[in-house]
Amino acid sequence: MDILEESGKKVVLLGNEAIVRGALEAGVGFVAAYPGTPSSEIPITFSRIAKKVGLYFEYSSNEKVAFEAAVGAAWSGVRALVSQKQFGLNVAADSIMPVAYAGVRAGLVIMVADDPQGWSSAQSEQDTRFYAKMFRMPMVEPSNPQECLEYTKIAFEISEKYQIPIFLRTTTKVSHSIGTVKLGELKKPNTKGKFVKDPDRFYNIQPHLQFLHDRLDKKIEEIEKEYGYKLNKIFLGEGKIGIIASGVSFEYVKEALQELGLNPPIAKIGLVHPISKEFISDFIKDKDIVLVLEELEPFIEEFVKQIAKDVNPKIIIHGKDMLPRSGEYNLEIIIPALEKIFNKKFIIDFKNHKEIVNSILKNIPPRKPVLCPGCPHRSTFYAVKKVYGKDTIYAGDIGCYVLGIYEPFNMQDYVISMGASVGIAHGINIVSDQETVAFVGDSTFFHASIPAIINCKFNNSKAPLVVILDNTVTAMTGHQPHPGSGFTGMGDKVEPIKIEEIIKAIGAEMRIANSFNQKQLIQALQELRKIDGLRVLISRGECRLLTTRKFREKGIEIPKFQIDKEKCTKCDICIRDFACPAIMKTIKNEETIYYIDLDMCTGCSVCMQICPEGAIHSIKKR
Amino acid sequence: MKYDVLLMGVGGTGVLTTQVIIARAANIEGYYVRGVQLHGLAQRGGIIPAFVRFGSENEVSSPGIMQANADLIIAFEQLEALRAIYYARKDKTIFIINNHPLIPVYSYVLNIHYPTMDEIIKRIEPFAKKIYVFNVSQLSRENFGNVVFGNVMLIGIATGLGVLKLKEESLHEAIKITSPREVENNIKAFELGLKLGKEKLHKDK
């Protein structure tokens, strides 16, 4: 594996892998995470190497407990890292601020990945930098994989030196970009510590609180002084127009300026909180114009404007007035802004090129992500729709099953956050007589749905039908284990926690059905529909990607299905209503023929069950 | 110097492995490498544009390729070749297309015509310096019993045509470290592609 190569070697790493390497070079001993795109390769990589390098790694049931576990390790003197996506930080936030007050002993790095543009099917374009401001905590932001490695190491250094938890923030195009990385020395992880009682540090209650708050403010001031010039850099250039950039925007602007043949001075911000007033003042005091480049909110721009009032009130500050506040930046967004400011013309007219492209691409079919061939969720959606029809309110949640939002299912009427399907459905049930079905994934159930389901029972609403889609793993982010999977992030076997036992304890009416068995599903749904109060269907079927992978590893042949041309009446149900990507139709000699693409078929057999003509059957092995 | 390769594929079909092979080969030759890999939901049958850029460190920094600026577009699926014209322009971009249709289910569900190969080529022409078409999926199935080796074959073709300017030995090395379990077949597939590329180049001269 590249990330374990020896010091001095140059390898190509994903930003997230470089963060892992940086943590290893810092001697991290404890890592906890709940997976979430675009941060998932951090836990995936740690899970792969934990035993080999001798550190502790766990997949926690949610981000809050992951953070708390990491705090326990750091308080006991073991360097700890916790990793999550932006919304994961919202879940952990409740515990983070008090820990900022209390401080840490060994270094504690909180890795958080934002996702401008929402590549990860995100429900908002959250700019997590504001947490650093609200919590009075330091935050560093790398621009490329090499910096991912270096900044992770520096983050541990700052955290330990100032006894403060620290944010390491990336965006998708840093976490999911690849780049050449020069490796440093690996450090043997320290995994054993001791918790020492210390009322001065750990008593987050009055009258001690102001003391802790003041101490935190002092730490932040000192970090600004010490690291303002170490983590931010000025690149000298020509002229009175300057560029201020952070994160991946710095990578874009460097190349954009080169393309335009420009060489203005650039200030690169690596320490996004606290922003160094001195560093910014130095840079802007002799400039006529600056352009601030950062994805999402004008976080740095607003600081610069504040500082400019005292230092250089005449300066013109551009940023979100010229560039979008939503979505990602790229070269073709940044170059036109530079053209305007520097009064220069680039060789390509992006606008014109894009117009031509759009006109040509107008009428081609979209390729949105789909539920995989053989996905157990497709089968469950199909059965639920058959029993509940299209007017029922279908509450969506976070997981692969969010893809049920698209045609032909249209069965995610809202998707808000983990656990919100049931939480919101309960409110709808209290104020309206409409039927609701709330979908919950297995990992989501353990992460955030249990309190919501308990709340339905406790407050005795007519309660939604809760459909728990149990495919045995956290599928969407790459098949990580959860408390019900039966193995840990270290790869050790454990007793799986049974979802049905928890549902029983809550006291809900429950049925369990095999996701790949339409008859069972429909019978269970019909029975549950007649009952009042809280009802739960556990639809259980392993993620098909996992099943086919196991088949391949064990050398078992994956069963395949085919359509009998004689029996097929071209009713279109298998395509129009079921929409399995492996089922195709083509026109041969002016006749439409339905067929199954054997490269794509994973042998789940559900199409055979739903075909009203019995025209689909398995291909008999010879 | 900088060289921009765009791999256009469909989630779950091995696009990312192909990208890693090219990136590692470029790294072996001492180039500075940048690129983008999308993970997560995009891998569920969605569009996966994977960028690989290599060159000198002072010229390559953006992870993504600029609009209208790809040197080489390798399309694992023909419709995605068409979608890639956003990154292409007439005086610069070479296309290598696998003419193996993966018809998106929404083409049926929304009843939108999936264009034929001829229609696709006609629309790409104003954006392409040259278009090469090979059915690597079929070749892979004929030679190896399934379609997955088509990806490495495309790298071989690009190398044989002289449009992917990386050395055969560094690509061999990269294939070995990237897919240790299937080295033999992958090397065979690469060599087959290389041969096809060289033949095509010779014929065109």
Side-chain angles (χ1 to χ4, degrees):
Chain A
M1 279 188 72
D2 289 345
I3 72 148
L4 296 178
E5 286 286 354
E6 64 221 48
S7 163
K9 228 177 151 165
K10 277 187 175 173
V11 292
V12 179
L13 296 179
L14 198 63
N16 284 340
E17 292 173 328
I19 288 168
V20 174
R21 174 72 188 207
L24 294 176
E25 290 182 15
V28 70
F30 184 103
V31 181
Y34 185 83
T37 313
S39 75
S40 304
E41 298 71 27
I42 295 169
I44 287 169
T45 309
F46 273 117
S47 180
R48 267 191 210 135
I49 61 166
K51 279 212 163 124
K52 199 170 176 173
V53 302
L55 57 83
Y56 176 84
F57 168 74
E58 75 171 46
Y59 281 116
S60 312
S61 48
N62 71 25
E63 297 84 356
K64 184 170 184 283
V65 290
F67 173 71
E68 289 153 2
V71 170
W75 278 357
S76 307
V78 172
R79 283 193 166 188
L81 179 131
V82 60
S83 141
Q84 63 246 296
K85 73 185 295 178
Q86 74 287 49
F87 308 140
L89 197 72
N90 302 341
V91 176
D94 196 16
S95 296
I96 297 177
M97 178 121 210
V99 173
Y101 274 40
V104 295
R105 273 210 178 91
L108 171 58
V109 175
I110 304 165
M111 155 66 203
V112 58
D114 275 357
D115 184 24
Q117 201 85 34
W119 292 103
S120 65
S121 76
Q123 289 70 50
S124 77
E125 285 195 313
Q126 177 176 311
D127 188 334
T128 301
R129 292 177 298 174
F130 288 90
Y131 271 117
K133 200 173 173 176
M134 175 160 78
F135 289 173
R136 306 286 289 134
M137 272 167 63
M139 179 183 268
V140 296
E141 183 175 5
S143 295
N144 58 41
Q146 182 71 58
E147 283 185 358
C148 282
L149 186 155
E150 288 161 12
Y151 281 33
T152 306
K153 277 206 295 203
I154 292 169
F156 274 107
E157 178 193 303
I158 298 172
S159 172
E160 210 148 291
K161 185 168 179 181
Y162 287 96
Q163 303 275 287
I164 190 171
I166 185 167
F167 289 117
L168 171 72
R169 183 237 186 189
T170 63
T171 54
T172 303
K173 288 293 194 289
V174 173
S175 268
H176 283 174
S177 79
I178 57 171
T180 305
V181 178
K182 191 168 180 227
L183 304 175
E185 288 290 341
L186 285 169
K187 204 166 153 186
K188 202 176 157 19
N190 158 42
T191 55
K192 280 281 162 264
K194 186 173 191 273
F195 181 87
V196 182
K197 295 180 191 233
D198 183 353
D200 262 359
R201 182 194 284 266
F202 298 127
Y203 283 23
N204 285 55
I205 49 167
Q206 283 295 26
H208 198 50
L209 216 51
Q210 265 66 50
F211 164 76
L212 293 179
H213 190 167
D214 293 341
R215 192 179 61 181
L216 174 63
D217 287 343
K218 217 165 142 274
K219 285 180 184 178
I220 285 292
E221 276 166 35
E222 284 169 8
I223 290 169
E224 184 181 333
K225 269 199 213 85
E226 183 179 353
Y227 288 91
Y229 281 85
K230 279 187 193 166
L231 279 162
N232 306 321
K233 286 194 192 79
I234 289 180
F235 297 83
L236 297 172
E238 301 140 12
K240 293 279 186 200
I241 306 175
I243 308 282
I244 299 174
S246 73
V248 72
S249 302
F250 174 75
E251 300 283 283
Y252 292 134
V253 79
K254 255 200 314 190
E255 198 159 332
L257 291 165
Q258 211 171 40
E259 288 281 352
L260 287 159
L262 296 163
N263 182 28
I266 309 173
K268 179 188 185 298
I269 308 291
L271 181 66
V272 292
H273 194 265
I275 295 256
S276 167
K277 287 181 204 62
E278 204 185 335
F279 175 86
I280 299 283
S281 305
D282 252 5
F283 185 73
I284 64 173
K285 64 176 188 267
D286 59 349
K287 305 283 183 296
D288 298 337
I289 298 172
V290 287
L291 170 66
V292 185
L293 295 169
E294 56 190 325
E295 287 179 340
L296 298 173
E297 296 304 303
F299 184 81
I300 296 168
E301 186 184 333
E302 281 168 5
F303 268 105
V304 174
K305 282 177 174 163
Q306 272 175 21
I307 296 163
K309 275 196 188 68
D310 300 330
V311 183
N312 182 357
K314 281 209 190 78
I315 191 171
I316 296 164
I317 298 162
H318 290 298
K320 295 297 167 185
D321 59 335
M322 295 182 106
L323 290 133
R325 202 165 168 155
S326 72
E328 287 182 312
Y329 284 3
N330 52 38
L331 286 160
E332 52 272 30
I333 282 176
I334 288 175
I335 287 175
L338 296 172
E339 280 179 308
K340 271 191 211 117
I341 288 176
F342 289 94
N343 199 10
K344 191 133 182 157
K345 205 85 202 95
F346 188 52
I347 48 164
I348 302 166
D349 181 345
F350 293 121
K351 208 163 154 260
N352 179 39
H353 179 270
K354 195 174 175 176
E355 273 165 15
I356 301 167
V357 167
N358 287 348
S359 71
I360 292 175
L361 299 184
K362 222 176 20 222
N363 296 318
I364 64 169
R367 195 185 293 275
K368 298 179 255 193
V370 286
L371 295 165
C372 303
C375 175
H377 302 337
R378 174 180 294 105
S379 180
T380 308
F381 281 138
Y382 190 84
V384 170
K385 202 168 188 176
K386 221 170 170 151
V387 175
Y388 273 84
K390 65 176 193 356
D391 295 330
T392 294
I393 296 167
Y394 292 114
D397 218 302
I398 311 297
C400 285
Y401 48 100
V402 72
L403 295 170
I405 203 164
Y406 298 130
E407 312 77 7
F409 297 108
N410 306 110
M411 288 168 78
Q412 301 271 291
D413 292 327
Y414 59 81
V415 178
I416 297 300
S417 69
M418 292 191 75
S421 68
V422 179
I424 293 172
H426 167 65
I428 294 172
N429 290 152
I430 293 286
V431 301
S432 105
D433 292 331
Q434 290 159 286
E435 266 192 303
T436 52
V437 173
F439 292 102
V440 173
D442 44 355
S443 192
T444 305
F445 171 81
F446 288 110
H447 177 286
S449 302
I450 298 171
I453 294 172
I454 289 175
N455 191 48
C456 287
K457 177 75 186 175
F458 169 44
N459 289 303
N460 203 15
S461 66
K462 286 189 308 305
L465 166 70
V466 179
V467 177
I468 300 174
L469 303 157
D470 181 7
N471 60 10
T472 75
V473 284
T474 314
M476 182 163 155
T477 45
H479 304 106
Q480 295 84 349
H482 58 61
S485 300
F487 62 103
T488 68
M490 296 293 277
D492 297 323
K493 270 201 150 100
V494 285
E495 185 67 36
I497 296 167
K498 291 192 171 73
I499 297 175
E500 52 267 45
E501 297 295 329
I502 296 174
I503 298 298
K504 252 187 233 147
I506 293 171
E509 194 63 51
M510 178 178 68
R511 298 285 182 281
I512 302 173
N514 174 348
S515 304
F516 299 108
N517 187 324
Q518 283 287 311
K519 237 193 217 127
Q520 261 187 39
L521 281 169
I522 285 174
Q523 193 186 338
L525 285 158
Q526 283 169 339
E527 287 172 17
L528 287 169
R529 200 178 180 190
K530 293 188 191 113
I531 300 166
D532 282 330
L534 182 63
R535 295 141 299 151
V536 175
L537 168 68
I538 300 175
S539 176
R540 190 162 278 152
E542 191 181 54
C543 169
R544 205 67 189 166
L545 291 174
L546 204 60
T547 309
T548 49
R549 192 176 308 149
K550 284 180 186 169
F551 276 21
R552 271 195 296 272
E553 281 165 8
K554 291 179 184 155
I556 302 168
E557 201 176 336
I558 296 163
K560 302 281 177 186
F561 285 75
Q562 66 186 28
I563 298 173
D564 184 333
K565 286 188 200 62
E566 304 304 310
K567 285 188 183 165
C568 172
T569 60
K570 308 181 186 24
C571 70
D572 212 31
I573 283 174
C574 58
I575 287 182
R576 190 194 57 219
D577 300 340
F578 189 62
C580 174
I583 305 177
M584 312 259 177
K585 55 182 168 185
T586 183
I587 295 170
K588 264 197 186 136
N589 313 328
E590 301 193 7
E591 194 197 356
T592 309
I593 293 169
Y594 284 72
Y595 68 100
I596 293 174
D597 182 318
L598 296 182
D599 291 321
M600 290 174 84
C601 176
T602 60
C604 76
S605 85
V606 181
C607 61
M608 177 181 79
Q609 299 168 45
I610 64 148
C611 176
E613 308 299 333
I616 304 179
H617 54 85
S618 84
I619 299 173
K620 293 283 178 290
K621 293 192 187 91
R622 287 176 195 93
Chain B
M1 114 53 152
K2 61 180 165 193
Y3 195 74
D4 286 353
V5 186
L6 166 60
L7 306 168
M8 274 305 260
V10 176
T13 56
V15 184
L16 297 183
T17 313
T18 315
Q19 181 205 29
V20 170
I21 291 169
I22 296 174
R24 280 184 167 147
N27 181 57
I28 288 164
E29 294 185 27
Y31 289 114
Y32 182 73
V33 180
R34 287 294 269 131
V36 175
Q37 269 192 6
L38 282 178
H39 291 241
L41 205 63
Q43 283 170 290
R44 302 282 180 264
I47 305 160
I48 299 250
F51 302 100
V52 200
R53 320 185 59 220
F54 56 92
S56 54
E57 189 165 355
N58 56 6
E59 284 184 71
V60 177
S61 62
S62 159
I65 294 170
M66 197 197 305
Q67 183 186 344
N69 256 284
D71 292 288
L72 172 62
I73 293 176
I74 300 179
F76 298 68
E77 199 278 347
Q78 59 199 58
L79 179 68
E80 297 322 311
L82 175 55
R83 236 187 283 271
I85 59 174
Y86 176 85
Y87 293 100
R89 70 175 201 250
K90 184 80 192 163
D91 61 321
K92 187 173 186 183
T93 312
I94 311 267
F95 278 80
I96 301 176
I97 303 170
N98 175 22
N99 63 334
H100 174 75
L102 275 179
I103 301 171
V105 77
Y106 298 109
S107 165
Y108 302 129
V109 173
L110 305 172
N111 206 1
I112 302 170
H113 168 68
Y114 179 92
T116 63
M117 196 64 205
D118 292 344
E119 289 168 343
I120 287 170
I121 288 182
K122 220 186 3 247
R123 293 190 207 173
I124 291 177
E125 268 167 354
F127 295 86
K129 196 171 171 176
K130 194 129 179 63
I131 303 170
Y132 297 100
V133 180
F134 292 87
N135 192 334
V136 292
S137 299
Q138 200 178 318
L139 284 166
S140 172
R141 192 177 294 123
E142 285 165 11
N143 284 279
F144 307 99
N146 69 42
V147 293
V148 297
F149 297 96
N151 300 355
V152 176
M153 221 179 279
L154 284 167
I155 302 179
I157 289 168
T159 313
L161 286 166
V163 292
L164 180 64
K165 292 174 185 21
L166 291 168
K167 298 189 183 83
E168 288 167 41
E169 52 271 28
S170 37
L171 284 158
H172 272 222
E173 181 64 24
I175 289 168
K176 277 177 198 149
I177 32 184
T178 308
S179 49
R181 255 186 277 172
E182 283 283 4
V183 172
E184 206 182 318
N185 279 343
N186 270 310
I187 294 286
K188 268 191 204 152
F190 173 78
E191 290 296 328
L192 185 65
L194 195 67
K195 191 165 134 276
L196 289 170
K198 282 179 178 166
E199 280 169 6
K200 175 79 184 138
L201 189 66
H202 191 73
K203 219 171 77 189
D204 288 355
K205 271 179 184 161

